[in-house]
Amino acid sequence: MRERPGVGLGLALVSALTFATSGTFARPLITGEWSAEAVVVARVGIAALVLAVPAVLALRGRWHVLRRNAATVGVFGLLGVALAQACFFNAVRYLPVGVALLLEYLGIVLVVGWMWLVHGQRPRALTVAGSVTALCGLVFVLDLTGATRLDPVGVLWGLGAGVGLAGYFVIAGRVDAGLPSVVMASGGMAVGAAILLLLGLIGVLPLRAGLADVSFAGHRMSWLVPIVGLSLIAAVVAYLTGIAGARLLGARLSSFVGLTEVMFAVLIAWLVLGELPTPVQLLGGALIVAGVALVRLAELRAAPEPAQPAGPAAEPVLTSDR
């Protein structure tokens, strides 16, 4: 149908916009009584429960598919959910939301290095150009010679989130085509929440949560407001619209659209939290996004995406960290 690409583009943009709200929703909790790990547990735990219903419907009794992919879902939950999100929300404690997200997106460049060193897949010239552009952008984002210095602890957390993002992409690229994406998302978030909860209960990670009101968008309000925003808007709505958009656009094209998440995150943090990176950091952010786009373009040229069959059987590969 002629309107399907337009609908797919709209859904992908909604997904990027809603995913971009996560750092803004998390900031008032993390700067209050909540630990970053507790925020992740609340966000992905609630989202996993909500997505469990469509996940069960998507399996349609084919539980053997989930059993066959149990290890993949487990590693996905550990790296792509628990590690990536815990590191990102810890980075948000020390850094502007936009800067933390830009550091996380460098994980796409790490995937290039991983595939080259471990699997011998030498990157194409366009991939190398994109990686170098993104790394140059990192230098500007860090703005080492500027008046505003980034907290090195926050930078390390942001790069840790990038490692988690790299794991997300490597695992998502190898997922069983028979495993519905919504099952992968729900199962991975359930595993991630369970891992962080277990580590918190045995005292390895801080797991603090409070019931006090928080300051959000210049107003005092219940802690439930950002929690609902994190779990329902920045997770459930974001995942479902992202999956639906990828069905219509294809995984690779939807991943390009997903790069707008960085732009949306900076804009939302500016409007709600009053955070705006310096001009030098904005330039660096533009270079990182451009570099990642070049890497994506190289992937698209290297392996044109096959046409997806119509109907519910068409399942896209998960294409970005959340």
Side-chain angles (χ1 to χ4, degrees), residues 138-173:
L138 174 63
V139 175
F140 285 105
V141 167
L142 296 180
D143 195 12
L144 299 178
T145 60
T148 302
R149 295 295 180 88
L150 296 180
D151 192 312
V153 174
V155 172
L156 290 177
W157 279 119
L159 295 176
V163 173
L165 174 62
Y168 182 110
F169 276 102
V170 171
I171 297 166

Side-chain angles (χ1 to χ4, degrees), residues 53-66 178-180 182-183:
V53 175
V56 170
L57 294 176
L59 280 173
R60 298 181 184 86
R62 295 179 291 124
W63 297 103
H64 65 280
V65 177
L66 181 58
L179 182 68
V182 68
V183 177

Side-chain angles (χ1 to χ4, degrees), residues 3 13 43 74 92 124 154 156-157 186-187 191 193 216 236 238 265 268 291 302:
E3 68 271 15
L13 287 172
R43 179 197 183 193
V92 167
R124 297 162 64 91
L156 290 177
W157 279 119
S186 179
V191 170
F216 182 65
V236 174
I268 293 170

Side-chain angles (χ1 to χ4, degrees), residues 24-320:
T24 299
F25 279 127
R27 170 58 63 81
L29 296 168
I30 295 172
T31 55
E33 300 179 353
W34 289 65
S35 65
E37 293 75 13
V39 172
V40 176
V41 169
R43 179 197 183 193
V44 302
I46 295 172
L49 289 175
V50 175
L51 290 177
V53 175
V56 170
L57 294 176
L59 280 173
R60 298 181 184 86
R62 295 179 291 124
W63 297 103
H64 65 280
V65 177
L66 181 58
R67 289 193 295 269
R68 186 173 69 223
N69 292 276
T72 301
V73 174
V75 177
F76 175 79
L78 173 63
L79 296 179
V81 177
L83 178 64
Q85 295 197 26
C87 287
F88 173 70
F89 286 143
N90 270 301
V92 167
R93 176 182 297 172
Y94 301 96
L95 304 175
V97 172
V99 172
L101 188 60
L102 287 168
L103 293 175
E104 183 181 29
Y105 260 77
L106 287 173
I108 297 175
V109 178
L110 294 179
V111 174
V112 175
W114 170 268
M115 299 305 292
W116 187 6
L117 295 176
V118 177
H119 298 283
Q121 296 183 11
R122 187 179 182 86
R124 297 162 64 91
L126 195 58
T127 302
V128 173
S131 300
V132 172
T133 301
L135 292 176
C136 290
L138 174 63
V139 175
F140 285 105
V141 167
L142 296 180
D143 195 12
L144 299 178
T145 60
T148 302
R149 295 295 180 88
L150 296 180
D151 192 312
V153 174
V155 172
L156 290 177
W157 279 119
L159 295 176
V163 173
L165 174 62
Y168 182 110
F169 276 102
V170 171
I171 297 166
R174 297 173 176 271
V175 69
D176 188 339
L179 182 68
S181 294
V182 68
V183 177
M184 184 74 163
S186 179
M189 287 191 287
V191 170
I195 290 174
L196 292 176
L197 184 60
L198 177 61
L199 293 176
L201 291 177
I202 64 178
V204 175
L205 293 176
L207 207 60
R208 303 184 309 275
L211 302 180
D213 289 349
V214 297
S215 178
F216 182 65
H219 302 282
R220 297 294 296 180
M221 59 186 65
S222 170
W223 59 274
L224 285 171
V225 174
I227 286 293
V228 169
L230 270 174
S231 56
L232 298 186
I233 297 176
V236 174
V237 172
Y239 269 109
L240 292 180
T241 54
I243 290 171
R247 283 176 183 260
L248 298 177
L249 292 180
R252 293 187 180 90
L253 182 55
S254 64
S255 70
F256 271 104
V257 180
L259 294 177
T260 59
E261 179 186 348
V262 177
M263 176 191 70
F264 284 134
V266 172
L267 180 61
I268 293 170
W270 176 39
L271 294 176
V272 178
L273 303 177
E275 294 181 356
L276 186 64
T278 65
V280 172
Q281 290 173 333
L282 288 174
L283 172 61
L287 289 174
I288 289 178
V289 173
V292 170
L294 288 175
V295 172
R296 288 301 199 195
L297 183 59
E299 291 179 357
L300 186 61
R301 289 183 174 181
E305 188 172 25
Q308 293 182 345
E315 285 294 340
V317 176
L318 292 171
T319 56
S320 56

